[in-house]
Amino acid sequence: MENKSRRDFLIKAGVGLGGVALSGFLPGGGFFYAPAEAATPFDPLAPKQPHFPAKAKTVIWLHMDGAPSTLDLFDYKPELVKRAGQSVPAEYTKGIKTFTQGGVGKLFVSNKRTWKQYGESGAWFSDLVPNLAQHADKIAFIKSSVTIGATHDISILKLNTGDVNPGRPSLGAWVSYALGSANPDLPSYVVLYNDKQEPRAGSANWNSGFLPAVYQGTAFRPGDSPILHLDRPGYIAALEQRKSLDLLKKLNEKNAARYPDDTELQARIRSYELADRMQTSAPEAVDISKESEATREAYGLNDEATKSYGTVLLRARRLAERGVRFIQVVSGPAVPEGEFRNWDAHSKLEENHGHNAKMVDKPIAALLADLKERGLLDSTLVVWTSEFGRTPWGESGDGRDHNPWGYTQWMAGGGVKAGTTFGATDDIGLQAVGKTVDTYDLHATVLQQLGLDHLKVTFLNSGRSERPTVVYGEVIKDLLA
């Protein structure tokens, strides 16, 4: 049998023998990749050493979809309260060339907002996040975040890939490429979301760009069957599938011996074996049924308002325990069938943020406490991110527009300097002042905590040596313990 036709046979045979469950992990299905030109058997997910001792082993990246108003969560501005209802003074808008589509309205504050300082750090939290406030001294705030673009699709790409155009690898893909997998039975990069549908722009935000496809994120869906097509078809017994895989492996190994320079078959063997192991390990990793009632209560699984987001955060903790390198969690809708599907509050900010903050506040607080109690917070870097912030002026009477010029993000655990604040916005919370932190700087800092020099993580693409931070990026050393 010719080599090509035999390979076709194996692919078809794999599908016929239970490969339906596995085919999503094969070349073209998006999971395993091996370069045909490689000279020796090649495992792209083999563990790799960092450049220097790492402070963090795992990243849990919390993306607040839709862009919260951090002016209403963490960035208390007495001057904004004082000037509410007035026009924006011209001195605050210097350097801003293009305003967002809503124009510039009067300065706005909610008459329901209250603020309080917490912990020894004295960090300010609003009434929207009372549970998270209890962990003030675990958090390192970045209050001078900036980005480019003021539309969601552009800024989400920038946040995840460092570029405003599709095609570059996401940060999680770079981490997977640079460090490989710490658990051979699970993907090294997992994406979680608490919605029936993928988050906006979908896989563009966790793809591998020009890196091999094996490094892209694997999306785990909500529900009891988190990985599409992973379940073994009911009409195939476990022993039958095992025998089929053994036969395929034997045939592939025999053929591989005849063509030692062709590594595709070795890669295919490994992909089948990995998918077979994941049929057991992945469902167990995300099975929260055996978690204690106290843990379920802490994450908010007994409350419909927090249940969906609490579930994905509890799964994130379980994946971190099992060595998954990069876990990206995208917040889903607070009111699935209503108008408050994310934090994008161009109107009715009080109601919107009331729902969304309630959905995430208790679960995130539980995650920080849980990681701490299990001794995992030191080795797990939690990053709270958004595509941008919101303006200090109002829109639609009771909402806020997009603000890429100054907003808050934060990190906790993983060797960051807890109970600190880096940077600031001006007195009304419109623009960052002093040293700013762009996406590239945030990415460089995260890589630093994983033991990676962002300047040395490179991949040759079309003759150009590419790196995660493009040609920018500076580690924010003031954030590091």
Side-chain angles (χ1 to χ4, degrees), residues 56 116 140 242 298 304 308 311 314 344 350 437 452 459 463 467:
K116 187 178 175 182
R242 184 64 258 171
E304 285 303 314
S308 64
T311 298
L314 186 49
D344 193 21
E350 191 60 34
V437 177
L452 297 170
F459 183 86
R467 59 182 172 88

Side-chain angles (χ1 to χ4, degrees), residues 182-481:
N183 184 335
D185 297 338
L186 290 172
S188 60
Y189 176 16
V190 170
V191 180
L192 300 167
Y193 53 93
N194 60 314
D195 193 3
K196 296 177 182 177
Q197 301 177 339
E198 284 190 346
R200 178 166 36 201
S203 60
N205 292 296
W206 55 83
N207 70 27
S208 59
F210 45 72
L211 295 176
V214 68
Y215 301 118
Q216 71 188 4
T218 299
F220 281 19
R221 302 173 303 166
D224 297 331
S225 182
I227 305 177
L228 199 61
H229 304 313
L230 184 66
D231 292 340
R232 176 167 45 80
Y235 57 86
I236 297 178
L239 180 60
E240 183 182 4
Q241 177 172 290
R242 184 64 258 171
K243 287 182 176 179
S244 299
L245 289 172
D246 288 343
L247 174 61
L248 284 171
K249 182 178 180 182
K250 185 176 180 180
L251 293 171
N252 279 327
E253 286 178 342
K254 186 176 181 180
N255 199 52
R258 295 173 59 195
Y259 301 95
D261 293 335
D262 184 351
T263 63
E264 287 189 16
L265 287 177
Q266 287 93 340
R268 183 169 293 275
I269 293 169
R270 296 182 186 200
S271 69
Y272 275 120
E273 294 298 323
L274 171 59
D276 184 46
R277 294 194 302 273
M278 282 181 58
Q279 284 189 333
T280 300
S281 56
E284 186 279 332
V286 296
D287 180 8
I288 59 175
S289 64
K290 295 180 181 178
E291 294 287 342
S292 70
E293 181 55 34
T295 298
R296 296 171 64 85
E297 173 61 31
Y299 277 83
L301 270 58
N302 297 323
D303 184 338
E304 285 303 314
T306 52
K307 181 179 180 180
S308 64
Y309 192 70
T311 298
V312 294
L313 284 202
L314 186 49
R315 285 177 167 172
R317 187 268 285 163
R318 292 177 62 88
L319 293 170
E321 283 181 309
R322 286 157 178 76
V324 175
R325 299 277 195 201
F326 200 97
I327 304 157
Q328 185 170 353
V329 182
V330 184
S331 65
V335 183
E337 306 303 329
E339 60 182 305
F340 304 122
R341 290 190 55 80
N342 62 24
W343 292 87
D344 193 21
H346 289 277
S347 62
K348 300 180 181 178
L349 182 140
E350 191 60 34
E351 193 174 356
N352 174 298
H353 278 37
H355 286 295
N356 279 283
K358 185 173 183 179
M359 179 179 72
V360 306
D361 174 48
K362 185 175 180 178
I364 295 177
L367 175 68
L368 295 179
D370 200 10
L371 291 172
K372 179 72 174 179
E373 184 176 336
R374 292 170 185 269
L376 292 171
L377 189 58
D378 289 342
S379 61
T380 304
L381 179 61
V382 180
V383 188
W384 189 96
T385 67
S386 173
E387 50 263 46
F388 38 67
R390 319 292 303 189
T391 57
W393 59 76
E395 184 184 8
S396 308
D398 55 2
R400 296 190 189 279
D401 207 347
H402 303 169
N403 177 2
W405 310 290
Y407 57 100
T408 298
Q409 300 182 99
W410 58 259
M411 300 195 292
V416 300
K417 193 179 295 181
T420 60
T421 294
F422 178 85
T425 52
D426 57 34
D427 288 341
I428 62 170
L430 175 57
Q431 296 196 63
V433 295
K435 178 69 176 178
T436 61
V437 177
D438 203 323
T439 303
Y440 309 109
D441 308 316
L442 181 65
H443 287 187
T445 305
V446 169
L447 293 170
Q448 174 81 14
Q449 296 309 86
L450 290 168
L452 297 170
D453 182 338
H454 72 105
L455 300 176
K456 296 179 180 177
V457 178
T458 59
F459 183 86
L460 192 62
N461 176 46
S462 300
R464 175 186 168 94
S465 182
E466 300 278 2
R467 59 182 172 88
T469 48
V470 194
V471 294
Y472 310 99
E474 177 182 345
V475 175
I476 307 301
K477 295 181 179 178
D478 288 348
L479 287 168
L480 309 184

Side-chain angles (χ1 to χ4, degrees), residues 125 131-139 364-366 368-369:
F125 291 81
N131 292 287
L132 184 58
Q134 304 303 318
H135 300 277
D137 292 339
K138 295 185 179 74
I139 293 173
I364 295 177
L368 295 179

